[in-house]
Structure formats: structure tokens, C-alpha cells
């Protein structure tokens, strides 16, 4: 996970990691949060890698592309934790619906993982990215866009794939002004070319379109449960569904007078 800056982002990563640890009774995964606030996560029993804004700025690269940080964090994790059987980066705006055993089995079988298959990149879907790909990586068939709320690589070939995704992302930055999805496009293309892909949509809920509205909901959850022992806090996170209230907040914003 990556979580730095405002409390709302720390809450998101913490909530997701707590649901993972609770569901993962066998300890198949060892979550680590890259953060500028290690003390916050230590109180929740979660391991961290300390980063600061200078490191974040370096990882953004010369075009200051925020989501490039995701690729660099995954590269760092591969170097920092070399003995693992696979490495997965989870967006903070997620939570677990079940244990990670299916994902771990897929990684052990040499598969990559991403969250969900979206659509083919083309004139009707991420057209600007498609035009850049025609220059950078032309293909006789459309490239598929996979959602990068989850991105994981297996031990065999994982490091080379992440390096290739970074190189493709940097090339796309030269030709595409609509940058928000370039790291996702790069991961989608490289991982699909090199591996079979396990989609994690049955494992993880990704609320990418509501991550601003969920902030007050998670803040209330952590305040209400701040005195619970860790095991009970993890169980409470799994029992709590933040989506209904979050969706109501989104709908209220959408229906508010302009």
C-alpha cells in the first residue's frame, strides 16, 4: 500500500490492510504500507516503509506524474523484499471481501494480478491513450485496459515486467496529455503480454469513484472503534460496510443545486 499526507488517505489504507489481515487467517500475505506516518500504522500493528515527500517527488519523475509513484513503489518492494513468492500493490481505496488464498495461488502459479478487465482502449474508451499507443506501441489488435487498483507480479519475471511497465509509462508521458491512466495502461499492456492475469474483483472492492466521499465515513469508523484491541478492530472493519453511506454522500453531491 501507499499512504501519505492527509488523514483520509491513511484511514483508507489502514481500513483495507485491517480487512486483509482479518481475512488472512493463515498469514499468506504480509501487508506493508509505504508512508510518511509510520507511527499511525504501528499503532494498528501494520508494518511500514518510511518515505518522505522528497522520495515521492523523485518517484513522480520529470513529468511529476503522481501515479508513476505506484510503479516505483512496486519496484522498491521487489528489491526490498526479494525472498517473497510474489508482490502486489493495492490502492488504498480498497477493502477485502474474502481471504487472499486465490490470489496467492495464482501468483504461485506464475500469474500476474490486476483488479478487473475494463474495455479495449480505442476511440470510444481512453481515446487519448489509444492515440499515444499508436505511436509508442502499435498493435494490430486493441490493447485492453485492466484496472490497476490491484497490481501484482509473480516471482519469475516480475522484476523485468515492472521495469518494462515503468519504461512504457515514461514513453506514454511524452505523447499523452491525459495522464491519469498512463501507469494503468502500462501495467495492463505489459502484464497481459507476459503473463496470464488473475482478476481480483471477487477478492477486493475498489471504490475508486468514491474515495473523496468515503473520508468522513472511515473517520467516524476509526473514532468509534479507537479503543478496541487490534483483533476486535480488524473484525469490526470486516463487519462494517462503508459503501452505503458513501454512496448516499456521492448522490447528495450529484443532486445538490449548482
Amino acid at each position: 500500500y501507499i499512504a501519505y499526507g492527509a488523514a483520509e488517505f491513511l484511514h483508507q489504507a489502514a481500513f483495507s490492510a485491517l480487512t486483509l489481515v482479518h481475512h488472512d487467517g493463515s498469514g499468506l500475505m504480509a501487508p506493508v504500507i509505504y508512508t510518511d506516518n509510520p507511527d499511525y500504522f504501528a499503532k494498528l500493528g501494520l508494518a511500514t516503509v518510511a518515505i518522505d515527500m522528497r522520495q515521492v517527488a523523485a518517484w513522480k519523475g520529470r513529468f511529476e506524474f503522481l501515479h508513476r509513484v505506484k510503479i516505483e513503489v512496486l519496484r522498491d518492494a521487489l528489491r526490498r523484499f526479494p525472498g517473497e513468492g510474489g508482490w502486489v500493490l493495492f490502492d488504498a481505496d480498497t477493502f477485502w471481501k474474502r481471504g487472499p488464498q486465490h490470489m496467492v495461488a495464482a501468483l504461485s502459479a506464475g500469474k500476474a494480478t490486476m483488479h478487473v478487465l475494463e474495455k479495449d482502449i480505442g476511440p470510444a474508451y481512453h481515446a487519448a491513450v489509444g492515440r499515444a499507443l499508436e505511436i509508442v506501441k502499435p498493435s494490430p489488435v486493441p490493447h485492453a485496459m485492466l484496472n490497476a487498483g490491484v497490481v501484482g507480479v509473480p516471482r519469475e519475471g516480475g522484476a523485468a515486467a515492472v521495469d518494462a511497465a515503468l519504461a512504457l509509462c515514461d514513453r506514454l508521458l511524452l505523447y499523452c496529455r491525459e495522464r491519469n491512466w498512463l501507469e494503468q495502461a502500462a501495467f495492463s499492456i505489459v502484464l497481459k503480454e507476459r503473463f496470464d492475469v488473475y482478476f481480483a474483483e471477487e477478492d477486493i472492492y475498489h471504490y475508486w469513484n468514491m474515495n473523496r466521499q468515503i473520508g468522513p465515513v472511515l473517520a467516524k469508523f476509526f473514532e468509534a472503534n479507537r479503543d478496541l484491541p487490534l483483533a476486535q478492530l480488524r473484525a469490526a472493519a470486516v463487519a462494517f460496510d462503508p459503501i452505503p453511506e458513501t454512496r448516499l454522500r456521492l448522490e447528495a453531491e450529484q443532486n445538490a443545486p449548482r
Side-chain angles (χ1 to χ4, degrees), residues 56-68 166-177 179 182:
V56 172
W59 281 342
K60 287 181 181 179
R62 63 177 173 138
F63 292 109
E64 300 183 352
F65 177 43
L66 175 62
H67 298 317
R68 189 180 186 276
L166 182 64
L168 178 55
C169 180
D170 285 348
R171 286 279 289 157
L172 288 169
L173 283 165
L174 295 171
Y175 296 98
C176 187
R177 292 184 180 181
R179 297 177 176 178
L182 294 187

Side-chain angles (χ1 to χ4, degrees), residues 16-36:
S16 185
L18 289 170
T19 61
L20 167 58
V21 174
H22 182 82
H23 280 302
D24 186 14
S26 300
L28 296 174
M29 283 191 166
V32 177
I33 295 89
Y34 282 67
T35 182
D36 62 350

Side-chain angles (χ1 to χ4, degrees), residues 206-224:
H206 183 202
Y207 51 89
W208 61 270
N209 59 333
M210 297 185 291
N211 52 30
R212 183 169 55 83
Q213 292 80 14
I214 206 170
V217 181
L218 293 182
K220 285 195 299 183
F221 168 82
F222 281 107
E223 177 62 23

Side-chain angles (χ1 to χ4, degrees), residues 12 39 96 159 161 166 199 216 219 223 239 246 248:
Q12 288 180 14
D39 290 344
W96 287 75
L166 182 64
F199 293 109
E223 177 62 23
T246 302
L248 288 174

Side-chain angles (χ1 to χ4, degrees), residues 143-155:
H143 294 292
M145 184 72 90
L146 317 182
N147 186 276
V150 176
V151 179
V153 294
R155 182 176 183 84

Side-chain angles (χ1 to χ4, degrees), residues 183-224:
E183 102 292 346
Q184 177 169 282
F187 273 130
S188 298
I189 292 165
V190 170
L191 298 191
K192 202 163 185 299
E193 282 181 344
R194 297 179 179 223
F195 308 103
D196 291 333
V197 177
Y198 170 82
F199 293 109
E201 58 190 308
E202 296 298 322
D203 305 326
I204 292 171
Y205 190 99
H206 183 202
Y207 51 89
W208 61 270
N209 59 333
M210 297 185 291
N211 52 30
R212 183 169 55 83
Q213 292 80 14
I214 206 170
V217 181
L218 293 182
K220 285 195 299 183
F221 168 82
F222 281 107
E223 177 62 23

Side-chain angles (χ1 to χ4, degrees), residues 59-257:
W59 281 342
K60 287 181 181 179
R62 63 177 173 138
F63 292 109
E64 300 183 352
F65 177 43
L66 175 62
H67 298 317
R68 189 180 186 276
V69 174
K70 293 173 61 172
I71 310 178
E72 290 282 21
V73 164
L74 194 52
R75 289 179 81 212
D76 185 88
L78 266 72
R79 293 191 295 264
R80 193 180 293 268
F81 308 107
E84 300 301 321
W87 302 264
V88 189
L89 178 65
F90 305 106
D91 279 2
D93 55 352
T94 58
F95 59 83
W96 287 75
K97 300 187 288 184
R98 66 180 185 181
Q101 62 270 23
H102 304 285
M103 183 183 296
V104 170
L107 291 165
S108 298
K111 296 181 180 181
T113 182
M114 294 189 71
H115 187 243
V116 64
L117 174 64
E118 294 186 359
K119 298 178 182 179
D120 285 343
I121 299 169
Y125 196 69
H126 293 298
V129 179
R131 289 191 294 271
L133 285 168
E134 289 174 3
I135 300 169
V136 173
K137 197 171 179 62
S139 171
V141 296
H143 294 292
M145 184 72 90
L146 317 182
N147 186 276
V150 176
V151 179
V153 294
R155 182 176 183 84
E156 185 67 32
V162 175
D163 287 345
L166 182 64
L168 178 55
C169 180
D170 285 348
R171 286 279 289 157
L172 288 169
L173 283 165
L174 295 171
Y175 296 98
C176 187
R177 292 184 180 181
E178 296 182 17
R179 297 177 176 178
N180 256 2
W181 299 276
L182 294 187
E183 102 292 346
Q184 177 169 282
F187 273 130
S188 298
I189 292 165
V190 170
L191 298 191
K192 202 163 185 299
E193 282 181 344
R194 297 179 179 223
F195 308 103
D196 291 333
V197 177
Y198 170 82
F199 293 109
E201 58 190 308
E202 296 298 322
D203 305 326
I204 292 171
Y205 190 99
H206 183 202
Y207 51 89
W208 61 270
N209 59 333
M210 297 185 291
N211 52 30
R212 183 169 55 83
Q213 292 80 14
I214 206 170
V217 181
L218 293 182
K220 285 195 299 183
F221 168 82
F222 281 107
E223 177 62 23
N225 295 286
R226 62 181 179 176
D227 296 325
L228 288 181
L230 286 180
Q232 293 181 30
L233 179 61
R234 293 191 288 263
V238 169
F240 177 60
D241 182 359
I243 298 305
E245 183 179 348
T246 302
R247 189 170 286 121
L248 288 174
R249 288 176 173 273
L250 176 62
E251 292 171 356
E253 288 184 14
Q254 292 171 338
N255 295 328

